């Protein structure tokens, strides 16, 4: 009798009921971050309320399309892993600068389109660099991703950055309540419910928040039922050299961060990212960024908060995240639904975020547990990389006296830590060691070539 090959958990299609619940959970985990970029950029440019609403709906629509491309994939586009897409925060400062110094939105969109095309062209090059990401580097990067996201959760716990009641005990109490609910469901509930612990925690937290006046659904009545984002709504794009250069730097930073997220999800799902799949994923990032420039939104990248959700729930199906992409498309086409989700108070998201982001950091430690730290400099690689990644997180103004391009790269703790880990791994584990001997780390002799690095990924102890 013919036997059917087992389906990898990444390719499994759960029942519709579970798809909807798991997908909505992913949307709630990333929604606040997704709408933050258009709010910050539009607010800095002093756009009208109507234009801000338009930017948000356009962003949600393209977020959904980008997620579908990444998860489902077609031809050589899409990593085909449970990856959620959203606007990159690395582009916020350059876009604000472009938009407020005379170029306006058309100059932003022109530079975004060029950056997207550049990512598509550079994707194969980044794919070949995967051999420089042994467990020593990937574990360090995943740890930095998780730890650098914790201040985001902290801001949510306190009420959201800029909130009038920021830091009020009631906000912290609500976040703590949600955290307790999430942990309780995960520990004591049946298997299916434990996998949607974040969704249940947010729902219970919202139910408590409404009668205590934490949120206001007044914006739901003001929102339109249907909203369609049309290409070049704010005018034809313009292509200015300075804007394009700054956005190309952002593209390199975004590709570095996305590579770290892809590797993290590959570790969590048991489907290792290979050079070809990494190239396909980055190529999808570039296509989504081009669509962002056409449909009045911004550059796109993988969202690390959803990486944590995959690790926490152990739901590895890419079709779950594809369902989340479909929900985002609906939110982009139906602004009234988006307004409902937007009414969820920040402390509710903060309580859930503490678990998700902490899970990412813990996954990095799990990967680092495979690394041999005896008789080599691996501990130094991890220590200095984490320190460099945490500098801009702990002291956000540390690089404000430096050139703009330097700030764009180093103000992101993820990219700063990732670049440091790659460079130090090359320095200590690839270049000839003291007295011409090879310093072995990750099973990798110093000065080893591509074959040695690939071998180390399989034989690491």
């Amino acid at each position: 009798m013919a036997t059917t090959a087992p389906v990898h958990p990444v390719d499994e299609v759960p029942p519709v009921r579970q798809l909807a619940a798991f997908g909505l959970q992913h949307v709630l985990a990333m929604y606040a971050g997704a709408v933050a970029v258009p709010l910050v950029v539009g607010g800095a440019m002093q756009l009208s309320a109507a234009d801000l609403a338009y930017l948000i709906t356009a962003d949600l629509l393209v977020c959904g399309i980008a997620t579908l491309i990444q998860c489902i994939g077609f031809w050589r586009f899409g990593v085909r892993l449970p990856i959620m897409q959203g606007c990159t925060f690395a582009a916020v400062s350059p876009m604000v600068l472009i938009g407020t110094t005379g170029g306006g939105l058309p100059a932003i969109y022109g530079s975004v389109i060029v950056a997207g095309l550049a990512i598509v062209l550079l994707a194969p090059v980044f794919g070949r660099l995967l051999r420089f990401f042994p467990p020593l580097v990937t574990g360090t990067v995943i740890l930095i991703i998780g730890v650098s996201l914790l201040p985001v959760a902290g801001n949510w716990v306190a009420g959201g950055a800029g909130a009038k009641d920021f830091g009020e005990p009631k906000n912290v109490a609500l976040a703590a309540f949600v955290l307790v609910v999430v942990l309780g469901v995960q520990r004591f509930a049946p298997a299916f419910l434990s996998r949607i612990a974040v969704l249940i925690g947010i729902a219970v937290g919202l139910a408590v928040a409404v009668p205590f006046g934490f949120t206001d659904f007044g914006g739901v009545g003001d929102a339109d039922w249907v909203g369609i984002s049309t290409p070049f709504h704010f005018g034809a794009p313009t292509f200015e050299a300075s804007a394009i250069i700054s956005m190309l730097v952002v593209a390199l930073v975004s590709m570095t961060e996305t590579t770290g997220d892809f590797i993290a999800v590959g570790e969590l799902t048991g489907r290792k990212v290979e050079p070809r799949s990494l190239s396909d994923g980055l190529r999808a990032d570039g296509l989504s960024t081009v669509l962002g420039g056409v449909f009045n939104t911004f550059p796109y990248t993988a969202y690390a908060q959803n990486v944590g959700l995959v690790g926490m729930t152990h739901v590895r199906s890419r079709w779950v995240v594809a369902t989340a992409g479909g929900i985002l498309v609906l939110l982009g086409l139906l602004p009234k639904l988006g307004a409902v989700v937007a009414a969820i108070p920040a402390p509710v998201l903060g309580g859930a975020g503490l678990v998700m982001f902490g899970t990412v950091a813990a996954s990095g430690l799990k990967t680092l547990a495979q690394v041999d730290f005896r008789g080599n400099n691996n501990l130094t690689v991890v220590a200095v990389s984490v320190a460099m990644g945490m500098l801009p997180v702990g002291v956000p103004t540390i690089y404000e006296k430096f050139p703009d391009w330097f700030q764009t790269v180093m103000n992101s703790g993820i990219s700063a830590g990732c670049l440091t880990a790659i460079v130090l791994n090359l320095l200590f584990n690839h270049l000839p060691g003291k007295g011409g001997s090879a310093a072995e780390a990750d099973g990798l002799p110093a000065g080893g070539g591509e074959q040695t690095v690939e071998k180390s990924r399989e034989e690491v102890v």
Side-chain angles (χ1 to χ4, degrees):
M1 292 178 63
T3 57
T4 304
V7 178
H8 193 282
V10 169
D11 298 318
E12 286 182 349
V13 182
V16 174
R17 177 172 60 92
Q18 294 183 15
L19 276 175
F22 293 148
L24 179 60
Q25 188 169 236
H26 272 281
V27 170
L28 296 177
M30 60 81 67
Y31 189 90
V35 301
V37 174
L39 281 174
V40 171
V41 175
M45 295 178 62
Q46 298 181 339
L47 298 181
S48 66
D51 285 343
L52 276 177
Y54 192 94
L55 284 181
I56 291 172
T57 54
D59 174 38
L60 293 174
L61 175 64
V62 182
C63 274
I65 294 173
T67 300
L68 290 170
I69 294 172
Q70 200 66 271
C71 294
I72 299 174
F74 68 92
W75 190 49
R76 295 298 304 277
F77 291 86
V79 71
R80 294 168 175 84
L81 285 172
I83 291 288
M84 201 82 182
Q85 297 286 103
C87 284
T88 173
F89 287 88
V92 170
S93 295
M95 289 192 300
V96 168
L97 188 63
I98 296 167
T100 55
T101 54
L105 286 173
I108 292 176
Y109 295 140
S111 63
V112 167
I113 291 172
V114 173
L117 293 173
I119 292 173
V120 172
L121 295 175
L122 291 173
V125 177
F126 257 73
R128 296 189 191 101
L129 297 179
L130 190 60
R131 64 181 185 272
F132 296 115
F133 286 84
L136 173 65
V137 174
T138 59
T140 303
V141 172
I142 296 168
L143 173 62
I144 292 170
I145 290 172
V147 177
S148 64
L149 284 171
L150 287 175
V152 176
N155 278 322
W156 289 348
V157 167
K164 294 180 180 178
D165 60 350
F166 187 86
E168 289 284 342
K170 63 176 185 178
N171 293 333
V172 179
L174 177 58
F177 171 73
V178 172
L179 175 61
V180 170
V181 172
V182 170
L183 295 177
V185 171
Q186 194 170 12
R187 173 63 180 86
F188 299 107
F192 168 69
L193 292 180
S194 68
R195 291 181 175 180
I196 56 171
V198 170
L199 179 60
I200 293 173
I202 291 174
V204 173
L206 183 60
V208 171
V210 172
F212 283 94
F214 279 91
T215 188
D216 178 16
F217 288 96
V220 177
D222 299 332
D224 296 328
W225 279 104
V226 178
I228 305 295
S229 180
T230 55
F232 308 125
H233 173 79
F234 295 98
T238 59
F239 301 93
E240 300 181 8
S242 59
I244 290 172
I245 292 171
S246 63
M247 204 56 66
L248 288 175
V249 175
V250 169
L252 293 174
V253 173
S254 176
M255 293 174 79
T256 304
E257 292 182 353
T258 297
T259 299
D261 291 332
F262 285 171
I263 292 172
V265 171
E267 296 282 347
L268 291 170
T269 59
R271 175 174 282 179
K272 299 283 186 180
V273 175
E274 303 296 337
R276 176 178 174 131
S277 57
L278 173 59
S279 299
D280 293 347
L282 292 173
R283 200 175 282 113
D285 259 16
L287 175 60
S288 303
T289 298
V290 172
L291 291 176
V294 173
F295 286 95
N296 320 293
T297 179
F298 308 114
Y300 284 85
T301 188
Y303 260 26
Q305 48 262 57
N306 295 88
V307 175
L309 191 56
V310 171
M312 176 187 164
T313 62
H314 306 294
V315 177
R316 296 180 279 177
S317 172
R318 60 191 172 107
W319 297 102
V320 165
V321 181
T323 302
I327 294 172
L328 285 174
V329 171
L330 282 178
L331 293 176
L333 296 174
L334 303 173
K336 200 171 284 290
L337 285 180
V340 173
V341 178
I344 297 174
V348 172
L349 297 174
L354 288 174
V355 184
M356 294 187 298
F357 302 161
T359 301
V360 178
S363 300
L365 294 176
K366 181 180 177 182
T367 302
L368 286 173
Q370 307 173 44
V371 179
D372 184 7
F373 288 98
R374 295 169 298 179
N376 53 45
N377 296 293
N378 286 346
L379 195 63
T380 301
V381 175
V382 176
V384 176
S385 301
V386 171
M388 291 300 294
M390 292 302 99
L391 267 182
V393 176
V395 189
T397 58
I398 188 170
Y399 299 122
E400 66 178 8
K401 304 295 184 183
F402 285 74
D404 291 340
W405 65 267
F406 187 90
Q407 291 186 50
T408 301
V409 176
M410 299 302 290
N411 272 343
S412 166
I414 296 172
S415 64
C418 183
L419 291 173
T420 304
I422 294 171
V423 171
L424 292 183
N425 181 54
L426 291 173
L427 175 65
F428 287 112
N429 299 326
H430 286 254
L431 298 180
K434 299 175 183 177
S437 65
E440 292 190 6
D442 287 342
L444 177 65
E450 180 176 343
Q451 280 187 328
T452 311
V453 184
E454 291 291 347
K455 186 178 179 183
S456 74
R457 292 180 62 83
E458 299 172 4
E459 299 182 358
V460 63
V461 178

